[in-house]
Amino acid sequence: MTLRGRLTAAFLVVVLGPVVLGAFFVASTVAAVDRSRSTERLAVAASTVRTSVDALCQQLRAAADTVALTGDPAIAAGQLVGRGLAAAVQVTDVNGRVTYASPGAPPTPWRDCSEPAAAPSGPVRALAARVDRRDPAGALLGTVAAAHLVDPAFVARLAAVTGVAVTLLDGGASAARFTHTTESQQERDAVLAAAGSASGERVTESTRGRYVRRIGPSAGQPLPLVLSVPSERPPGLHVTLAGVVVLAGLLAVFTAWRLARVTTRPLVELAGAVDRVAHGDLTARVPVRSRDELGRLAAAFNRMTRETGSYVAALTSSRDQLRGHLAVLGDTLASTHDLQRILRVILHSAIAATGARAGAVLLVEAGGVLVAQCSEGLDGRWPAGDPDGSQGLRVPVGVGVVGAVAATGEPQRGRLEPTEAPTGEPRCRTYVAVPFSTPGGATTPGGPTTTTPGGPTTTVPGGERCLDEAGAAAALGVLALYDRVGADEFDDDDLDTLRTFAGHAAVAVENVRVHEEAQRLSLTDPLTGLWNYRYLRESIRREVERASRFGRMLSVLALDLDRFKDVNDTYGHAAGDTVLAEFARRVRGEIREVDLAFRQGGEEFVLLLPETDARGAAIVAERLGAAVRETPIAVEAYAGPIVVTVSVGIAVYPDHGSTGREVLEAADDALYAAKAAGRDTYRVAEARPDVPTWEIPVPAGAVSPPDGLPRAGRQVQVPREPGGHARSESTAGVPESNRSGPAHARPDPADEPAATAADAARAGPDVGRPGPGGGASSGPHPPRQSRGR
């Protein structure tokens, strides 16, 4: 196919494709919008019908109740009918005989408002509500039924209220017959046919372009109704769109032919010059025949070839200058803890420095697999089974090029044919891969290898091999680049440059890992492995906020090993540490993954159980008590095991407190109760008393002081709050965490003994101070981030 033919075909595809797709999109969008709007109108109409029928049924029940409660039903029924609250009233005795019926009542049977969904077939003449009539002693005297006439006027009122056409069917099982309708005669048959073919309350379309929906009979809405609305699609839409597509096609064919004819000759000349430059002839020039875009392109090409020679020399010198700036780049990157950002900067800089077309940074993860942390330019380089790279770059250590580099610790560079691409790696013609390890890793003399298909593997002098402590070759990761621009293969200079970037990548990875480990150690208890008191303050605030946001419960368990001081005094602190570590292990085995376990201090622990009520918390407390009590803890260097027990206090948010501090205090108070009850048991916190309130008088008008300066409020003593100190009116602007007393202060020193040192150690966390979001299970796992509103 000639260039002119290809240009014409390409132009037609580019122009006609969007036109056809646009026409199809407009047609489908209009149809979808029309159906969506009609469905929404029918849904609103159905809801309005149910509301109207339900309101009518409520009115009829009220009328029937009024008649049933009066001594003379006839008088009450006449008054209700006269006022229009019911069309007719019927009173029957216990045997079903009619003792009173309003004059002119519609024929029975009446359709009862409380009938089930499977209502009997037949025309609906009236809608009724029935109630029992009893004497003062409660004995059944009969029933009272209040009815409302279902006639064309009633159906017309429903249509006026809903704004759609309403048809009352002759029974609920079939749509073949109807009793009353507001549909026109032209649309009636098509609407009934569409309603008969619809299943349930699904919206369907009639043959005449109306959307139809059936509702009822159902519980609370015993009337079998059909609702319909007209379609809003403009007529002749498809014909108009087809005409637009045909006209656009004719215009596109003519325009494409003209453009191809004018463009062919300059493009052929430009293609020949480009081919000469591709073979290394930088003296190639293109004649400039016009001043249009093609003329400017030819002039730009000529200028490009003249400047390319000088750029080649400049690039050689700029590469040396780039290496001098890498030290400054390394210092900058090492000060950042965002690993993904660091690796992206390193990869981008390495690609720019070596002139590669693509590249990737891979790190060794668990299982001995190299996983790409960031990549660039790999689109279109994946095998046929994964054309878009959806599987990602994952290479086992020892497999393929990068896998061999990671396993041996030796850099490699070379050339590959398209059919020789390693499994799981992108296709390329040339490559270079450099390993990197931790900055403190040992190295031995070695060298990168150059691989040539069908030839031997050679070692490039000056390389290094990364060894672990056991002497086996290993690497932390691999920096790989593919297909260098403007050269056949990567050279030794590219290899040296890549080693520098790999060294910065190793420093960055090590810094990030050290930072993450330090952060983890700052939030965990070194003896038990549980979260520490610092993380407890952050977690209970976050969990209380989450429980409040989603309306859930949060249980807090305060645990204390009974008489643990005797264990330390009898067996020593080393044995006590063993007991604490084993107790923490058993706690982790008895709770869920979403639960949080903390060591508050000494032998005191705290559990947070999200979405758990008091009963569930009690079950957990029983399991914990049994796990500790029934299996004594064996300690080395002692003849027999150590028997310990645990006391547990339980408090639930929001039943026992509105903040994390209050719930934790309530759990601690419950723990004291469990201790007082004999230990080795649990207690649930008592319901908190009503919070005292004060009435603040507000003056009718603001009055400024004579000197115009503001005045601080006078000190007004208020009642002491439970669990805290008395507050004065002037402390209203001070944060709660600064105004309150100790977390476990007693209501009054005169009523209870002063707090001991152990009580002070049990002080709850200050949850008023915000901290970084986080959370996890009971062990030292990465904190989970809390989501904001």
Side-chain angles (χ1 to χ4, degrees):
M1 192 175 184
T2 63
L3 178 60
R4 180 178 301 177
R6 290 196 299 270
L7 287 175
T8 303
F11 185 86
L12 292 178
V13 171
V14 170
V15 173
L16 291 183
V19 171
V20 174
L21 292 178
F24 176 79
F25 176 78
V26 170
S28 59
T29 301
V30 170
V33 170
D34 178 54
R35 184 177 182 86
S36 176
R37 290 181 177 177
S38 300
T39 302
E40 184 177 0
R41 288 183 59 190
L42 289 176
V44 174
S47 177
T48 305
V49 167
R50 291 190 181 94
T51 303
S52 301
V53 173
D54 181 71
L56 178 59
C57 289
Q58 294 294 337
Q59 176 181 328
L60 293 176
R61 289 192 187 95
D65 285 334
T66 302
V67 174
L69 294 175
T70 59
D72 192 347
I75 297 176
Q79 293 177 351
L80 291 175
V81 172
R83 295 179 180 177
L85 299 179
V89 176
Q90 179 178 288
V91 181
T92 60
D93 57 13
V94 292
N95 297 322
R97 293 191 302 270
V98 178
T99 60
Y100 172 79
S102 299
T108 57
W110 299 340
R111 183 65 58 88
D112 196 336
C113 290
S114 60
E115 282 185 348
S121 61
V124 180
R125 304 300 182 187
L127 189 63
R130 302 179 185 276
V131 298
D132 293 334
R133 183 165 174 257
R134 300 179 182 275
D135 60 8
L140 181 64
L141 299 179
T143 60
V144 177
H148 189 279
L149 188 62
V150 178
D151 53 3
F154 175 79
V155 176
R157 286 195 299 273
L158 287 181
V161 171
T162 58
V164 300
V166 180
T167 300
L168 176 64
L169 299 178
D170 188 6
S174 173
R177 297 178 302 172
F178 67 95
T179 304
H180 307 295
T181 182
T182 60
E183 297 280 0
S184 62
Q185 292 184 354
Q186 295 82 1
E187 305 288 348
R188 182 183 305 162
D189 295 337
V191 169
L192 292 178
S197 63
S199 60
E201 295 190 0
R202 183 174 298 175
V203 177
T204 184
E205 188 174 1
S206 69
T207 57
R208 296 182 61 86
R210 292 183 69 87
Y211 290 96
V212 181
R213 175 177 177 177
R214 292 183 60 180
I215 61 171
S218 60
Q221 203 290 97
L223 299 179
L225 300 175
V226 175
L227 310 179
S228 71
V229 293
S231 174
E232 298 179 357
R233 273 177 290 186
L237 174 64
H238 296 86
V239 176
T240 303
L241 293 177
V244 171
V245 171
V246 171
L247 182 61
L250 295 176
L251 182 61
V253 169
F254 176 78
T255 305
W257 178 78
R258 288 290 299 172
L259 288 176
R261 182 178 179 181
V262 173
T263 309
T264 300
R265 183 179 178 183
L267 287 179
V268 170
E269 296 174 347
L270 183 60
V274 169
D275 187 67
R276 293 170 57 189
V277 171
H279 287 82
D281 184 9
L282 298 180
T283 63
R285 297 293 183 268
V286 178
V288 180
R289 301 183 181 275
S290 63
R291 296 182 177 273
D292 58 2
E293 290 79 6
L294 290 177
R296 292 199 299 271
L297 179 60
F301 178 83
N302 296 335
R303 186 170 59 255
M304 179 186 65
T305 55
R306 288 194 301 268
E307 296 176 357
T308 300
S310 59
Y311 288 161
V312 171
L315 287 175
T316 303
S317 60
S318 64
R319 183 187 303 175
D320 297 333
Q321 296 177 0
L322 178 62
R323 293 173 182 170
H325 293 293
L326 287 177
V328 179
L329 176 63
D331 295 339
T332 304
L333 297 179
S335 62
T336 306
H337 296 302
D338 187 352
L339 181 59
Q340 295 296 327
R341 178 183 176 186
I342 293 174
L343 296 182
R344 283 195 300 270
V345 171
I346 292 175
L347 177 61
H348 182 75
S349 301
I351 291 176
T354 59
R357 297 180 184 273
V361 180
L362 303 93
L363 296 181
V364 179
E365 294 190 353
V369 178
L370 281 166
V371 179
Q373 303 299 317
C374 62
S375 61
E376 186 173 340
L378 297 184
D379 296 339
R381 297 177 175 269
W382 300 100
D386 188 21
D388 57 349
S390 59
Q391 301 298 328
L393 185 53
R394 299 176 61 90
V395 181
V397 175
V399 177
V401 174
V402 295
V405 171
T408 62
E410 298 179 353
Q412 292 187 12
R413 60 180 175 87
R415 171 185 292 275
L416 289 175
E417 295 299 327
T419 58
E420 298 175 342
T423 303
E425 297 186 41
R427 295 191 300 267
C428 65
R429 301 189 67 88
T430 60
Y431 67 89
V432 59
V434 176
F436 56 88
S437 60
T438 55
T443 61
T444 63
T449 59
T450 302
T451 304
T452 304
T457 299
T458 60
T459 300
V460 179
E464 293 181 347
R465 297 185 60 189
C466 304
L467 304 181
D468 58 12
E469 296 179 355
L476 181 66
V478 176
L479 175 58
L481 301 181
Y482 304 100
D483 293 341
R484 179 182 175 188
V485 178
D488 293 337
E489 297 183 16
F490 293 93
D491 54 22
D492 293 340
D493 292 336
D494 298 325
L495 197 60
D496 293 338
T497 302
L498 208 59
R499 278 202 195 93
T500 304
F501 284 107
H504 290 302
V507 173
V509 172
E510 182 66 14
N511 287 348
V512 170
R513 291 184 176 179
V514 170
H515 174 73
E516 292 177 351
E517 180 66 14
Q519 186 178 21
R520 183 189 67 82
L521 293 176
S522 68
L523 299 178
T524 56
D525 176 61
L527 175 61
T528 62
L530 303 181
W531 299 116
N532 58 18
Y533 176 77
R534 173 186 177 185
Y535 193 58
L536 171 61
R537 296 188 303 176
E538 302 172 0
S539 299
I540 194 170
R541 173 189 57 80
R542 183 185 62 254
E543 294 298 334
V544 166
E545 290 177 354
R546 182 181 291 112
S548 175
R549 185 183 306 118
F550 298 104
R552 304 299 177 87
M553 306 184 77
L554 172 67
S555 293
V556 179
L557 276 64
L559 293 77
D560 188 278
L561 292 177
D562 299 327
R563 298 184 175 89
F564 184 76
K565 184 176 183 299
D566 297 340
V567 175
N568 284 334
D569 295 342
T570 304
Y571 303 98
H573 288 279
D577 293 344
T578 302
V579 170
L580 291 176
E582 175 61 18
F583 174 73
R585 187 190 65 80
R586 297 184 185 182
V587 167
R588 283 195 293 264
E590 295 295 333
I591 62 177
R592 306 168 298 178
E593 185 179 359
V594 298
D595 299 334
L596 304 174
F598 307 82
R599 184 186 180 192
Q600 190 174 7
E603 70 275 17
E604 299 176 358
F605 299 81
V606 174
L607 296 183
L608 301 184
L609 310 181
E611 300 186 13
T612 304
D613 56 7
R615 178 55 185 162
I619 294 175
V620 174
E622 292 175 354
R623 289 207 312 263
L624 289 174
V628 176
R629 180 191 323 109
E630 296 174 1
T631 306
I633 300 175
V635 180
E636 295 181 4
Y638 292 98
I642 300 176
V643 179
V644 295
T645 59
V646 62
S647 299
V648 184
I650 301 174
V652 180
Y653 171 87
D655 296 339
H656 303 127
S658 57
T659 63
R661 175 192 291 273
E662 293 176 359
V663 178
L664 193 59
E665 290 177 355
D668 207 2
D669 294 337
L671 174 62
Y672 294 153
K675 291 283 189 181
R679 296 181 173 85
D680 192 17
T681 184
Y682 70 91
R683 288 292 184 269
V684 180
E686 298 180 358
R688 56 176 177 171
D690 294 336
V691 179
T693 59
W694 300 269
E695 180 177 351
I696 302 176
V698 179
V703 179
S704 301
D707 55 358
L709 299 177
R711 293 288 189 268
R714 66 180 184 275
Q715 295 289 112
V716 179
Q717 297 299 326
V718 296
R720 183 183 304 272
E721 297 181 353
H725 297 293
R727 296 189 300 173
S728 62
E729 189 177 1
S730 61
T731 63
V734 182
E736 184 67 24
S737 58
N738 296 334
R739 295 198 303 261
S740 61
H744 291 272
R746 299 304 179 193
D748 198 310
D751 298 335
E752 293 187 17
T756 63
D759 296 333
R762 297 188 180 96
D766 183 6
V767 298
R769 181 169 60 90
S777 60
S778 57
H781 306 294
R784 66 167 181 251
Q785 299 296 330
S786 61
R787 299 181 180 271
R789 290 186 176 90

PDB file of all heavy atoms in Angstrom, residues 75-91:
ATOM      1  N   ILE A  75     -75.127   6.075  64.963  1.00  0.00           N
ATOM      2  CA  ILE A  75     -74.949   7.535  65.008  1.00  0.00           C
ATOM      3  C   ILE A  75     -73.526   7.909  64.623  1.00  0.00           C
ATOM      4  O   ILE A  75     -73.295   8.815  63.804  1.00  0.00           O
ATOM      5  CB  ILE A  75     -75.312   8.074  66.408  1.00  0.00           C
ATOM      6  CG1 ILE A  75     -76.798   7.799  66.696  1.00  0.00           C
ATOM      7  CG2 ILE A  75     -74.988   9.550  66.505  1.00  0.00           C
ATOM      8  CD1 ILE A  75     -77.227   8.215  68.080  1.00  0.00           C
ATOM      9  N   ALA A  76     -72.554   7.218  65.191  1.00  0.00           N
ATOM     10  CA  ALA A  76     -71.157   7.527  64.879  1.00  0.00           C
ATOM     11  C   ALA A  76     -70.850   7.278  63.416  1.00  0.00           C
ATOM     12  O   ALA A  76     -70.160   8.059  62.756  1.00  0.00           O
ATOM     13  CB  ALA A  76     -70.221   6.686  65.767  1.00  0.00           C
ATOM     14  N   ALA A  77     -71.401   6.173  62.858  1.00  0.00           N
ATOM     15  CA  ALA A  77     -71.155   5.874  61.451  1.00  0.00           C
ATOM     16  C   ALA A  77     -71.760   6.947  60.563  1.00  0.00           C
ATOM     17  O   ALA A  77     -71.160   7.367  59.559  1.00  0.00           O
ATOM     18  CB  ALA A  77     -71.718   4.500  61.097  1.00  0.00           C
ATOM     19  N   GLY A  78     -72.955   7.405  60.900  1.00  0.00           N
ATOM     20  CA  GLY A  78     -73.574   8.455  60.093  1.00  0.00           C
ATOM     21  C   GLY A  78     -72.779   9.737  60.115  1.00  0.00           C
ATOM     22  O   GLY A  78     -72.653  10.424  59.099  1.00  0.00           O
ATOM     23  N   GLN A  79     -72.253  10.097  61.283  1.00  0.00           N
ATOM     24  CA  GLN A  79     -71.448  11.310  61.370  1.00  0.00           C
ATOM     25  C   GLN A  79     -70.162  11.185  60.545  1.00  0.00           C
ATOM     26  O   GLN A  79     -69.766  12.134  59.859  1.00  0.00           O
ATOM     27  CB  GLN A  79     -71.108  11.607  62.835  1.00  0.00           C
ATOM     28  CG  GLN A  79     -72.329  11.993  63.672  1.00  0.00           C
ATOM     29  CD  GLN A  79     -71.951  12.215  65.124  1.00  0.00           C
ATOM     30  OE1 GLN A  79     -70.840  11.926  65.513  1.00  0.00           O
ATOM     31  NE2 GLN A  79     -72.903  12.713  65.927  1.00  0.00           N
ATOM     32  N   LEU A  80     -69.533  10.023  60.595  1.00  0.00           N
ATOM     33  CA  LEU A  80     -68.285   9.846  59.837  1.00  0.00           C
ATOM     34  C   LEU A  80     -68.548   9.896  58.344  1.00  0.00           C
ATOM     35  O   LEU A  80     -67.793  10.514  57.579  1.00  0.00           O
ATOM     36  CB  LEU A  80     -67.629   8.508  60.207  1.00  0.00           C
ATOM     37  CG  LEU A  80     -67.069   8.407  61.627  1.00  0.00           C
ATOM     38  CD1 LEU A  80     -66.572   7.001  61.907  1.00  0.00           C
ATOM     39  CD2 LEU A  80     -65.921   9.400  61.801  1.00  0.00           C
ATOM     40  N   VAL A  81     -69.650   9.253  57.912  1.00  0.00           N
ATOM     41  CA  VAL A  81     -69.981   9.280  56.486  1.00  0.00           C
ATOM     42  C   VAL A  81     -70.372  10.683  56.062  1.00  0.00           C
ATOM     43  O   VAL A  81     -70.017  11.157  54.979  1.00  0.00           O
ATOM     44  CB  VAL A  81     -71.089   8.260  56.179  1.00  0.00           C
ATOM     45  CG1 VAL A  81     -71.582   8.400  54.747  1.00  0.00           C
ATOM     46  CG2 VAL A  81     -70.598   6.852  56.437  1.00  0.00           C
ATOM     47  N   GLY A  82     -71.100  11.387  56.928  1.00  0.00           N
ATOM     48  CA  GLY A  82     -71.505  12.746  56.592  1.00  0.00           C
ATOM     49  C   GLY A  82     -70.321  13.690  56.464  1.00  0.00           C
ATOM     50  O   GLY A  82     -70.337  14.617  55.650  1.00  0.00           O
ATOM     51  N   ARG A  83     -69.311  13.497  57.255  1.00  0.00           N
ATOM     52  CA  ARG A  83     -68.119  14.341  57.179  1.00  0.00           C
ATOM     53  C   ARG A  83     -67.171  13.912  56.065  1.00  0.00           C
ATOM     54  O   ARG A  83     -66.144  14.556  55.847  1.00  0.00           O
ATOM     55  CB  ARG A  83     -67.368  14.315  58.511  1.00  0.00           C
ATOM     56  CG  ARG A  83     -68.154  14.938  59.644  1.00  0.00           C
ATOM     57  CD  ARG A  83     -67.368  14.853  60.942  1.00  0.00           C
ATOM     58  NE  ARG A  83     -68.111  15.446  62.060  1.00  0.00           N
ATOM     59  CZ  ARG A  83     -67.678  15.456  63.313  1.00  0.00           C
ATOM     60  NH1 ARG A  83     -66.485  14.925  63.588  1.00  0.00           N
ATOM     61  NH2 ARG A  83     -68.399  15.993  64.274  1.00  0.00           N
ATOM     62  N   GLY A  84     -67.421  12.837  55.395  1.00  0.00           N
ATOM     63  CA  GLY A  84     -66.577  12.394  54.289  1.00  0.00           C
ATOM     64  C   GLY A  84     -65.349  11.626  54.732  1.00  0.00           C
ATOM     65  O   GLY A  84     -64.447  11.399  53.919  1.00  0.00           O
ATOM     66  N   LEU A  85     -65.299  11.187  56.009  1.00  0.00           N
ATOM     67  CA  LEU A  85     -64.152  10.414  56.477  1.00  0.00           C
ATOM     68  C   LEU A  85     -64.208   8.982  56.010  1.00  0.00           C
ATOM     69  O   LEU A  85     -63.207   8.260  56.062  1.00  0.00           O
ATOM     70  CB  LEU A  85     -64.067  10.462  58.006  1.00  0.00           C
ATOM     71  CG  LEU A  85     -63.874  11.847  58.608  1.00  0.00           C
ATOM     72  CD1 LEU A  85     -63.828  11.790  60.121  1.00  0.00           C
ATOM     73  CD2 LEU A  85     -62.595  12.478  58.065  1.00  0.00           C
ATOM     74  N   ALA A  86     -65.365   8.521  55.588  1.00  0.00           N
ATOM     75  CA  ALA A  86     -65.534   7.180  55.042  1.00  0.00           C
ATOM     76  C   ALA A  86     -66.759   7.204  54.141  1.00  0.00           C
ATOM     77  O   ALA A  86     -67.708   7.959  54.357  1.00  0.00           O
ATOM     78  CB  ALA A  86     -65.691   6.133  56.151  1.00  0.00           C
ATOM     79  N   ALA A  87     -66.732   6.349  53.114  1.00  0.00           N
ATOM     80  CA  ALA A  87     -67.876   6.279  52.207  1.00  0.00           C
ATOM     81  C   ALA A  87     -68.994   5.417  52.789  1.00  0.00           C
ATOM     82  O   ALA A  87     -70.173   5.626  52.498  1.00  0.00           O
ATOM     83  CB  ALA A  87     -67.452   5.728  50.851  1.00  0.00           C
ATOM     84  N   ALA A  88     -68.650   4.453  53.593  1.00  0.00           N
ATOM     85  CA  ALA A  88     -69.643   3.552  54.183  1.00  0.00           C
ATOM     86  C   ALA A  88     -69.045   2.889  55.400  1.00  0.00           C
ATOM     87  O   ALA A  88     -67.814   2.750  55.508  1.00  0.00           O
ATOM     88  CB  ALA A  88     -70.106   2.496  53.179  1.00  0.00           C
ATOM     89  N   VAL A  89     -69.918   2.488  56.349  1.00  0.00           N
ATOM     90  CA  VAL A  89     -69.518   1.785  57.570  1.00  0.00           C
ATOM     91  C   VAL A  89     -70.414   0.565  57.710  1.00  0.00           C
ATOM     92  O   VAL A  89     -71.635   0.660  57.524  1.00  0.00           O
ATOM     93  CB  VAL A  89     -69.614   2.679  58.819  1.00  0.00           C
ATOM     94  CG1 VAL A  89     -69.277   1.894  60.063  1.00  0.00           C
ATOM     95  CG2 VAL A  89     -68.692   3.893  58.672  1.00  0.00           C
ATOM     96  N   GLN A  90     -69.816  -0.551  58.047  1.00  0.00           N
ATOM     97  CA  GLN A  90     -70.570  -1.805  58.227  1.00  0.00           C
ATOM     98  C   GLN A  90     -70.177  -2.412  59.557  1.00  0.00           C
ATOM     99  O   GLN A  90     -68.993  -2.563  59.856  1.00  0.00           O
ATOM    100  CB  GLN A  90     -70.264  -2.773  57.076  1.00  0.00           C
ATOM    101  CG  GLN A  90     -71.000  -4.101  57.214  1.00  0.00           C
ATOM    102  CD  GLN A  90     -70.693  -5.007  56.029  1.00  0.00           C
ATOM    103  OE1 GLN A  90     -71.153  -4.759  54.943  1.00  0.00           O
ATOM    104  NE2 GLN A  90     -69.937  -6.043  56.270  1.00  0.00           N
ATOM    105  N   VAL A  91     -71.212  -2.781  60.369  1.00  0.00           N
ATOM    106  CA  VAL A  91     -71.000  -3.370  61.684  1.00  0.00           C
ATOM    107  C   VAL A  91     -71.549  -4.786  61.647  1.00  0.00           C
ATOM    108  O   VAL A  91     -72.693  -5.005  61.215  1.00  0.00           O
ATOM    109  CB  VAL A  91     -71.683  -2.550  62.793  1.00  0.00           C
ATOM    110  CG1 VAL A  91     -71.424  -3.158  64.155  1.00  0.00           C
ATOM    111  CG2 VAL A  91     -71.198  -1.101  62.744  1.00  0.00           C
TER     112      VAL A  91
END
